[in-house]
Every structure is written in structure tokens, then in C-alpha cells.
Amino acid sequence: MLQREFFARATSIVARELLGTILVLQRGTERLSGRIVETEAYLPEGDAASHAFRGKTPRNAAMFAQAGTLYVYRIYGIHRCINIVTEEEGKGCAVLIRALEPMQGVETMQQRRSLTDIKHLSNGPGKLAQAFGFELADNFADVCSESLHLLPSVFPVYADDIGISPRIGITKAAELPLRFFLRSHPYLSRQDKN
DNA sequence: TGAATGATCACG
DNA sequence: GTGATCATTCAT
């Protein structure tokens, strides 16, 4: 599985290299997993779109923990989003996991999402958090652990396979190309031209 | 295109 | 204390 050193690097590098890796969550006897196909980088300095832009607060505290820490937050009063903390402890940066392709535990995901179409189970940050059952209680969880970790991509991911675009749903620093995705992948939160 | 839905944070 | 804002989703 991916070690902490993997996450303790420049955030945009981590965001890019997370594409194709497999998120594994063991809850009791059940294992859920999926292949990451879309991420966004939230940089440590000068990134006005980042929750950590104005420093540490109760909500974003996990972003200042060590690399490989899970940062879970509630958005729009309804949904949850999950991030993985990057770089050195205390810098305040992370990668948002925006979409993945379900692998193991599809039935559970279908129940949680109240729908059967696999393409719509986890093609968005709020959707994948719901499908995997991530809660605010999972904030600060260790992504380098038995019950929660990432496995290397089964297939090689070449530069040509990767698309880059501005991040979605933000109003500040909206032009920065910090969203990374597997080009033409059917499980993206939205389909891009390039 | 807009409603749902509520915590968070900056400001004073 | 107050109010604008929000790294979204879904139905209309």
C-alpha cells in the first residue's frame, strides 16, 4: 500500500499520482474499494480557494496534521467531502478526492446511494463520501492504516491519460489548473472535452 | 436554474 | 450575535 512518504510531497504531484490508485476502506467485515479517477489539489500557500487559506480553524485542523491524514468536512449543510493531507505537518494542504470507480462493495454503495446505476454511485465528492459511508467522525483518520489505505494503480497511468482543468465549484482562484482526472473515464463528476 | 440545508467564520 | 458563503446534489 502507499506509504506516508507518498503523501508527504508537493500537493499537485500527489493529486496527479493518486489517479488510478485504489482507495480501500475496511468497515467491520465489509471491504469497500474503488479506483480514483478525479482529484483536486488545495495548495499550502496563496491558494484562496483552500479552507486553510486563512490559517488553522476548528473545521480545517486536520489539514495541518501529518501527511496521510483524512480530512472530512460537511459542505452545503448536507454532503461530506474527503481529502488526504499532503506535504509537511503544519502546512495546511490536501487533495480532494472527487470521483472514483467502484470496485468492491458495490451492493452497499447502491443501498447507501439509493440507486443502482454504478456510474452514478461515486462520480462526485459528495456521492463517493456517501457511498463509502464517510462521516465527520472519520476526520483525522489515518489513510496509511489497515482499515483505510491506498493501493498502487494496477495499470500504468501515462501523462497522455491525464487531463488537467480548473477546479470545480469554487469562486476564488478559479483559474488555477489544479484538477486532475483520467481522460474520458466514464466515472468522472463531469465529462471534459480534452 | 434553483431549492435543500446548516455549519462556519469574519466582522464588529 | 449576525449574515454571507459554501471544494454539492438532485429535481424541475
Side-chain angles (χ1 to χ4, degrees):
Chain A
M1 62 188 226
L2 301 188
Q3 302 300 306
R4 199 170 308 286
E5 296 77 52
F6 176 91
F7 303 103
R9 298 180 294 153
T11 306
S12 47
I13 301 283
V14 176
R16 202 174 64 218
E17 295 193 9
L18 277 174
L19 296 177
T21 66
I22 297 162
L23 178 67
V24 181
L25 173 67
Q26 182 86 32
R27 291 257 210 230
T29 61
E30 176 151 46
R31 191 201 308 289
L32 302 176
S33 68
R35 186 167 184 249
I36 295 177
V37 300
E38 181 179 340
T39 63
E40 282 178 2
Y42 287 86
L43 305 182
E45 279 154 21
D47 183 358
S50 173
H51 287 173
F53 183 59
R54 293 165 200 276
K56 192 172 178 177
T57 67
R59 178 180 66 161
N60 67 22
M63 290 184 76
F64 293 83
Q66 71 173 341
T69 299
L70 193 72
Y71 168 44
V72 187
Y73 66 90
R74 185 180 293 283
I75 183 67
Y76 292 105
I78 308 170
H79 309 288
R80 285 160 279 287
C81 293
I82 64 162
N83 301 248
I84 302 174
V85 177
T86 54
E87 305 197 23
E88 300 159 36
E89 183 168 351
K91 294 192 81 173
C93 42
V95 172
L96 172 68
I97 310 301
R98 285 196 58 89
L100 51 78
E101 173 185 348
M103 295 178 71
Q104 293 168 288
V106 169
E107 220 171 273
T108 295
M109 298 186 201
Q110 288 169 323
Q111 286 170 9
R112 290 212 177 104
R113 295 272 302 123
S114 302
L115 55 87
T116 54
D117 186 349
I118 297 178
K119 285 197 182 60
H120 293 81
L121 290 179
S122 52
N123 61 333
K127 297 180 187 179
L128 78 85
Q130 184 185 22
F132 273 64
F134 283 111
E135 298 293 340
L136 296 187
D138 297 308
N139 196 26
F140 281 101
D142 187 1
V143 183
C144 304
S145 66
E146 272 301 308
S147 57
L148 177 64
H149 56 266
L150 286 138
L151 298 176
S153 180
V154 215
F155 307 108
V157 177
Y158 300 105
D160 284 353
D161 302 328
I162 298 175
I164 304 177
S165 79
R167 294 171 291 185
I168 293 175
I170 57 171
T171 56
K172 299 161 199 154
E175 74 291 351
L176 298 182
L178 292 174
R179 169 174 173 255
F180 303 87
F181 54 95
L182 291 183
R183 217 169 245 176
S184 303
H185 197 281
Y187 292 79
L188 297 174
S189 68
R190 64 178 61 179
Q191 288 302 329
D192 297 65
K193 300 216 159 104
N194 58 337

